[in-house]
Amino acid sequence: MKHLLVRSGKSPFHLPTRTEVIQQDLIGTNAGNLVFSDATHKLLQVPGATEVTSNGLRTDSSKERAAQINEEYDAFVVPLANAFRPSFEPSLNRLSKLIEQLKIPVVVIGVGAQAGTDYDTERLKAIEPAVKRFMKAVLKRSASVGVRGELTADYLKELGYKGKDVDIIGCPSMFLHGDTFPEIRLPEGGITDASRIAINISPGAPKVGPIAEIAQRTYERFADLTYYAQNLTDAELLLWGDTTAEKGQPAELPNQTAHGLLRDDKMRLPTDPYRWMAELREHDFAFGTRIHGNITALLAGTPAVVLCHDSRTLELCRYFGIPYEMLADQPADMDPAELYEKADFAGLQNGHQERWDRFAQFLDRNGLQDTYTHGDRGAAFEERMAALDLPPSMRVWDGSDDGANRYRVAWLHERAENVRKRQDAAARRIGELKERNEELTEQVGKLEKQLAGLERRVAAMDKRPLGRLGGIFKGRGGQG
């Protein structure tokens, strides 16, 4: 039996409470991470051959942890997303430090570079040392590195890596069902005002195109609309709320309770991919800027279109044949019905087998078996998931006792204690600074007195030579 350690927020079979998700950040700031990490768990869980354990997302790079991994596991599997970006550099370095100490194989699945839709990687210059360190550590322990798409492959090629070092495999989330892909259900009559619509929005997307205006118009048109948020900050907003509505503060995006999507309880945040898919299965169409928000819809058989606003979404759409449009090209009054009508799912469906073969060959080349080639095609995994009472997506807190009030009170108490401790520390520091200030003031006074004395002595010394010289000149004048 092979024991695999997978970098993931949690095991797919662990059903945390929403407060646990928030407190421990089990989604890695983005619920989309659960989609590809759960897919990785399923793909590598081969009954009788492999056992998969979640490592969590926090990297412990200590010698003790490295020794434990070397002792207990046969391989370390690292599914990643857009890890080659400046904000991820500290995490990337911690991963490299851990990997450098490992003696077992390390397999990286689906890593990507972060750039704009123009694929300009100039902004990644500063992190090149970190990327090279990571690649060097991994390639010493694997046959190749699996990347998301052509941008990342070209970026690594520019850094000097050869074709044998890099395999374009996309994202494991798209292979949740192995060599088959769910049939996309096309709603009869297309999209109408009565259609059930799901929308998703990335935090950085408004800088690229009119996603805020598109979301507002979609909210005003479709009565049966759900906004699927994904960020940890969104989860905190749903749990805590805010006072923007009472202040009369307008909200352009659904990141405040003043926005209509929150006022009408149309916002959700999933904490489990399978429940997320089940909810999206009840919709007719999904669209937006979130790559995994739309991939989850497609995995549920619901048609979806990505509004691409950066390279990480664009390169995956191009590789997998996912229907997409460029967000920057969209008008503020974009019609979701027209977006749906233009969508073509043929490339997604027809090219899946070839892409799966490439993915399976990558795993095999790196010493990993998958359940579709070597196991039960995920039957045991699916059976176990079906037996779980999966938690529904988080929704807006209405102020009632929803089971999380104990957490809210405890969190506020801890926050108050932390504030008090910081205040006490600040007060002590202020006292220390006052004492130091008094000492310095006293020293300055003494120095001023010394300086005044020195100035008087200098002034007296200045007069004496002049007096002597005057006498000399006077004596010489008398001799003449």
Side-chain angles (χ1 to χ4, degrees):
M1 177 79 73
K2 253 189 174 181
H3 296 270
L4 307 180
L5 184 65
V6 175
R7 182 183 184 272
S8 60
K10 67 179 187 65
S11 163
F13 311 119
H14 173 50
L15 305 181
T17 63
R18 53 195 161 159
T19 51
E20 185 181 347
V21 169
I22 292 174
Q23 187 69 29
Q24 299 182 35
D25 188 16
L26 297 180
I27 61 176
T29 74
N30 181 353
N33 292 327
L34 294 177
V35 183
F36 65 78
S37 63
D38 274 26
T40 303
H41 276 263
K42 179 184 178 182
L43 287 163
L44 300 180
Q45 189 76 57
V46 180
T50 58
E51 181 178 290
V52 182
T53 301
S54 173
N55 179 62
L57 293 175
R58 294 184 178 88
T59 302
D60 180 356
S61 58
S62 66
K63 293 181 180 178
E64 293 76 14
R65 178 55 177 163
Q68 182 184 16
I69 294 173
N70 284 325
E71 177 69 24
E72 298 180 7
Y73 299 97
D74 298 295
F76 182 34
V77 182
V78 187
L80 289 170
N82 53 325
F84 296 159
R85 68 184 194 273
S87 61
F88 197 74
E89 183 179 13
S91 298
L92 194 64
N93 281 328
R94 284 193 294 272
L95 261 177
S96 297
K97 183 179 179 181
L98 172 62
I99 293 170
E100 287 163 351
Q101 301 174 75
L102 298 183
K103 300 176 182 178
I104 59 176
V106 176
V107 185
V108 172
I109 301 177
V111 67
Q114 176 76 49
T117 54
D118 58 0
Y119 282 15
D120 183 2
T121 57
E122 184 65 28
R123 66 187 292 268
L124 304 182
K125 287 288 185 183
I127 66 167
E128 284 184 6
V131 173
K132 290 180 178 179
R133 177 187 180 186
F134 177 76
M135 290 291 293
K136 179 181 179 181
V138 174
L139 288 172
K140 279 187 175 181
R141 294 159 180 83
S142 64
S144 61
V145 170
V147 302
R148 288 162 72 98
E150 79 276 18
L151 162 72
T152 308
D154 290 343
Y155 168 66
L156 292 174
K157 183 178 180 181
E158 290 175 1
L159 296 186
Y161 296 96
K162 301 177 181 179
K164 65 180 181 64
D165 299 327
V166 177
D167 285 314
I168 298 178
I169 59 171
C171 177
S173 59
M174 291 292 286
F175 301 115
L176 179 68
H177 304 296
D179 55 358
T180 61
F181 199 87
E183 182 181 352
I184 304 300
R185 301 180 311 277
L186 304 180
E188 294 183 11
I191 301 300
T192 68
D193 290 355
S195 296
R196 300 162 298 178
I197 306 295
I199 190 172
N200 47 78
I201 305 169
S202 308
K207 298 177 182 178
V208 178
I211 189 63
E213 294 85 349
I214 291 171
Q216 180 63 30
R217 288 176 182 272
T218 304
Y219 159 68
E220 293 170 354
R221 175 179 172 184
F222 296 94
D224 197 344
L225 172 69
T226 308
Y227 164 52
Y228 278 94
Q230 295 180 204
N231 276 20
L232 183 65
T233 52
D234 298 315
E236 293 173 337
L237 174 65
L238 291 173
L239 182 78
W240 289 101
D242 59 34
T243 60
T244 54
E246 288 79 2
K247 292 176 182 176
Q249 182 175 333
E252 182 182 15
L253 286 167
N255 53 15
Q256 297 173 333
T257 56
H259 196 281
L261 285 168
L262 280 87
R263 291 199 313 268
D264 296 345
D265 190 26
K266 294 179 180 292
M267 177 175 172
R268 299 288 185 271
L269 189 137
T271 59
D272 180 87
Y274 273 69
R275 183 57 183 258
W276 193 359
M277 282 186 280
E279 293 177 8
L280 285 170
R281 202 168 286 122
E282 301 302 315
H283 290 74
D284 298 310
F285 180 52
F287 75 94
T289 58
R290 290 285 197 178
I291 186 62
H292 283 103
N294 292 297
I295 284 177
T296 306
L298 293 170
L299 290 170
T302 300
V305 176
V306 180
L307 298 178
C308 291
H309 70 291
D310 60 10
S311 65
R312 63 195 173 107
T313 53
L314 184 57
E315 70 173 345
L316 278 184
C317 287
R318 286 175 170 170
Y319 181 71
F320 283 108
I322 298 172
Y324 72 91
E325 298 288 341
M326 304 305 292
L327 175 61
D329 297 337
Q330 303 307 305
D333 60 350
M334 183 208 79
D335 185 355
E338 293 182 4
L339 193 67
Y340 165 78
E341 290 297 334
K342 290 192 293 183
D344 182 359
F345 299 94
L348 170 66
Q349 300 278 3
N350 297 338
H352 186 76
Q353 181 67 54
E354 180 184 348
R355 288 185 290 267
W356 163 256
D357 290 342
R358 192 178 300 121
F359 182 79
Q361 289 166 10
F362 165 80
L363 294 180
D364 185 64
R365 191 159 52 252
N366 283 280
L368 297 177
Q369 294 184 342
D370 72 84
T371 187
Y372 289 93
T373 306
H374 307 278
D376 65 349
R377 299 185 62 81
F381 184 96
E382 293 289 344
E383 182 179 355
R384 189 172 175 185
M385 290 300 300
L388 299 175
D389 185 14
L390 300 176
S393 294
M394 290 181 64
R395 61 196 303 172
V396 179
W397 181 40
D398 63 2
S400 63
D401 186 356
D402 58 354
N405 285 353
R406 178 182 175 277
Y407 171 80
R408 292 186 179 97
V409 171
W411 186 91
L412 287 170
H413 175 71
E414 290 174 358
R415 180 59 60 91
E417 280 294 302
N418 289 336
V419 170
R420 184 187 62 77
K421 289 177 181 178
R422 287 197 296 269
Q423 287 177 334
D424 290 346
R428 287 194 298 271
R429 183 58 178 159
I430 289 172
E432 293 170 358
L433 290 173
K434 283 183 177 178
E435 291 180 4
R436 182 58 177 158
N437 184 57
E438 291 174 358
E439 293 175 1
L440 291 173
T441 300
E442 184 178 348
Q443 291 179 14
V444 168
K446 292 179 179 178
L447 290 172
E448 286 178 343
K449 290 180 180 179
Q450 292 177 7
L451 180 60
L454 287 172
E455 288 177 343
R456 288 195 296 271
R457 290 174 61 187
V458 169
M461 292 173 63
D462 288 343
K463 292 178 181 178
R464 290 173 190 170
L466 290 174
R468 289 196 298 270
L469 288 171
I472 293 171
F473 288 127
K474 184 177 180 182
R476 288 182 177 177
Q479 293 175 354

